[in-house]
Every structure is written in structure tokens, then in C-alpha cells.
Amino acid sequence: MNRQLPTVETNTSLSFSQAQTENAEGLAILPVVQNTAPTIALDFASSGDLSTLKLSNTAGIRNFETRRNTQNLLKPVRETRDFGAAVAFSAADSQTGLGFDLGFVPRVSVSQDGEFEHRRVGGEVRIGQNFDQRGKDIDAAGWYLFAGADGEALVYEPDNERNLTNRVALRDQVTVGDMQAGVSFTRGDGQLSLSYIRREVEYKERGIRGDETEDFAGVSFTIRR
């Protein structure tokens, strides 16, 4: 007896860019002032969306963003490189035989902005109904539960001070581990997501080590074009 295996749909996205960037006159990015009050650093020019790293109050992340924004003022012309890749695997309930859809999305990205580098790898598991509507012109309501994890490394290493004697001492690094879970609802072209995120941050700055933990909720709404 022949048994037909369920088919799995995949969707792959890959991007790479390399350029030189220059701050326009009158649009200088001010550094974040470090203080005891909650600090929010917004940078709309980098990726087009708000990153939770920019909204963090953890000292290691806050100091890293402050130094990067300061370097943007001191060195307005710098080389930038961005690479990102993600693959979405999904199987409908009719294929899984479990009564719900399954999905898995691994992702990786690397970006470099002058003397600063950002590396990220992670993935997400999704369980729900009608959440994969790629290429479909339908108005079906969908939802899914998701759980995922991401590991990120933020590295600062001054180019003009690299040598065999002081390279290790000057190489500041922030390691971020995010674990998140939540639910997402889709209706027509709109999608609403509610999530809970737990973040663990370890940092080494000028020979000083530290670690902190954050817990926060997230809300996002997107419209498919």
C-alpha cells in the first residue's frame, strides 16, 4: 500500500546590501544620554521598523547604542553591510492530520556599520489555523500561537586601535538572549500580535562585566501590502 507523505510549503527570503552612508546636514543623530531614568533610543533610518533593542533599558544595550550614535556624528561617512536570510516552512492541517497548521521559521542576519557589528540567529515555531496565506487572495481569518528564541551579539571594536597587545581589552561585546511566546490574529490584510518576551543580557565594556534580565510585553499591528 502506497502512503502519500504530507507536502511542506517553503518560502525563502534573502537580502544583502553594501554601501557607504553619510548623515545629511541638519539631520544629525543625537547620542542617548545615560541616566537613571528609563531611556528610549529611536533610530528610524536603519531598518525601517522599531527594534526592541532600541527600546531596552539594559545598561549594556543602552551604552552600546550611545557609542554607536556618537560615532555616527564623529564619522558620518562609513561602510555599511547588511545580510539577512529566513526560510518559512509550513504544512496545513489537511497535510498534518492533526487538526491545525504547523510552521517553523529559522532566520539569521549580520550587519556591520563602521566599527559596530550585529549578529543574530534564531527561529520560531507556529501552531494555528489559516496563518499561512502567502500568495492567496482570500479574506479568511487566521490565528496562531508562537514560541521562539533569538541569540544576538553586538560587537564594538575600534579600527584605529587594533593590535596584538590591546585588541582583546578594547573589544566590547553585548550578548542578548531573547525567549518569546504569544499569539497572532490575521483578518484580511491586518495582523495583530501579542507577545511576552524574556531577555537575558551579558556585556563586557572596557573590562567590566555585567548581566541583567528584562521581562516585557509586546504589541504589534501590521498591514499586508
Side-chain angles (χ1 to χ4, degrees):
M1 179 177 65
N2 294 329
R3 183 178 180 183
Q4 186 177 2
L5 297 177
T7 59
V8 178
E9 298 182 3
T10 64
N11 181 41
T12 305
S13 63
L14 179 67
S15 63
F16 174 77
S17 65
Q18 179 176 355
Q20 277 196 339
T21 180
E22 181 174 357
N23 294 339
E25 295 182 2
L27 296 178
I29 302 175
L30 297 179
V32 179
V33 179
Q34 181 179 353
N35 50 42
T36 56
T39 303
I40 297 179
L42 302 181
D43 185 357
F44 294 96
S46 60
S47 60
D49 59 350
L50 289 179
S51 167
T52 56
L53 290 180
K54 301 295 180 68
L55 303 177
S56 175
N57 196 43
T58 300
I61 297 176
R62 208 170 59 232
N63 294 345
F64 183 88
E65 293 299 335
T66 300
R67 298 178 71 174
R68 180 160 63 178
N69 291 337
T70 302
Q71 285 295 96
N72 289 350
L73 297 178
L74 299 177
K75 297 182 179 180
V77 179
R78 58 199 181 278
E79 185 178 27
T80 63
R81 297 178 181 177
D82 291 283
F83 169 81
V87 182
F89 302 91
S90 64
D93 55 355
S94 59
Q95 299 169 325
T96 63
L98 301 175
F100 49 80
D101 305 344
L102 290 176
F104 175 59
V105 185
R107 51 184 175 252
V108 62
S109 65
V110 178
S111 65
Q112 185 173 3
D113 184 355
E115 299 167 347
F116 297 85
E117 186 179 42
H118 179 197
R119 300 188 296 265
R120 176 177 181 176
V121 61
E124 182 178 286
V125 177
R126 300 172 179 176
I127 300 175
Q129 292 181 337
N130 298 326
F131 62 79
D132 187 358
Q133 300 181 11
R134 294 190 303 264
K136 301 177 182 179
D137 187 15
I138 59 177
D139 193 27
W143 64 271
Y144 63 88
L145 302 174
F146 62 88
D150 289 277
E152 301 179 64
L154 313 176
V155 180
Y156 168 62
E157 189 169 12
D159 290 333
N160 58 353
E161 298 183 9
R162 290 184 181 179
N163 57 59
L164 297 178
T165 59
N166 64 7
R167 179 171 181 175
V168 176
L170 291 173
R171 191 174 188 269
D172 296 343
Q173 179 167 328
V174 182
T175 303
V176 183
D178 283 345
M179 294 177 290
Q180 60 178 320
V183 60
S184 181
F185 303 93
T186 303
R187 182 66 180 180
D189 293 333
Q191 184 179 48
L192 175 66
S193 298
L194 309 174
S195 61
Y196 167 79
I197 302 173
R198 180 174 181 82
R199 167 172 295 159
E200 296 182 356
V201 180
E202 295 182 358
Y203 58 91
K204 183 190 70 173
E205 183 177 1
R206 299 177 183 178
I208 301 177
R209 296 181 179 271
D211 59 87
E212 297 185 48
T213 302
E214 289 183 313
D215 296 273
F216 53 93
V219 179
S220 67
F221 179 77
T222 57
I223 297 178
R224 183 173 57 182
R225 298 178 180 177

